[in-house]
Amino acid sequence: MTDNITSVGGGSRPDTGVSPLKGRTGAGAPAETRGKTTIADSVVAKIAGTAAREVPGIHGLGAGMARAFGAVRERVPGGGGGGATRGVKVEVGERQAAVDLDVVVEYGASIVDVAGEVRTNVISAVERMTGLEVVEVNIAVDDVHLPDDEEEEAASDGGRVR
């Protein structure tokens, strides 16, 4: 009798023909394939967000209002938990994931090149760490960060009391 098992993305083990995410059960199966592994959307979002931020030319993630509210939330004690996933939306299935990113690119960087590097880095990180196949990475460039913006941010962060 032959088992018909579909392998998952790059995370399948060729020697067993079984996905590490959804393996076969029973005494004859290797221990690492017994049971099912589920990966939360928030985990994939953190991986994708971190991988996107690693790319040179990315100033930050999130659309204008999300960045503004995130900056305020990070200053409030106990309120800064969402920074890693700001500007990242994911859909995770049993074997596949799709990622949507809102990014801010540094002025002077080639948007096309930066977007390509972000896409490559996100796909590589998510597939390597989760075993899920990334079917698409959609990137929306919401803003360009100008060098003058840092001076304005520093002036507005000064406050009255130091």
Side-chain angles (χ1 to χ4, degrees), residues 68-142:
F69 284 126
V72 170
R73 197 172 35 242
E74 287 173 4
R75 290 191 178 111
V76 175
T85 59
R86 185 182 327 127
V88 182
K89 294 180 210 137
V90 299
E91 291 181 39
V92 180
E94 281 189 34
R95 297 185 173 130
Q96 296 179 328
V99 180
D100 296 324
L101 300 168
D102 292 317
V103 301
V104 178
V105 176
E106 293 286 350
Y107 177 79
S110 167
I111 293 174
V112 173
D113 292 344
V114 169
E117 289 179 40
V118 167
R119 195 170 280 114
T120 300
N121 208 36
V122 167
I123 290 170
S124 174
V126 171
E127 288 184 348
R128 177 178 45 83
M129 294 178 72
T130 66
L132 295 167
E133 174 191 8
V134 178
V135 292
E136 64 182 11
V137 176
N138 299 312
I139 299 171
V141 179
D142 292 317

Side-chain angles (χ1 to χ4, degrees), residues 20-77:
L21 293 178
K22 188 173 181 182
R24 77 181 104 139
T25 59
E32 66 269 13
T33 64
R34 293 184 195 182
K36 180 180 178 183
T37 303
T38 55
I39 301 170
D41 291 10
S42 61
V43 172
V44 176
K46 282 184 180 181
I47 293 168
T50 302
R53 285 179 181 87
E54 291 174 349
V55 174
I58 292 293
H59 176 72
L61 271 63
M65 288 305 290
R67 285 196 332 267
F69 284 126
V72 170
R73 197 172 35 242
E74 287 173 4
R75 290 191 178 111
V76 175

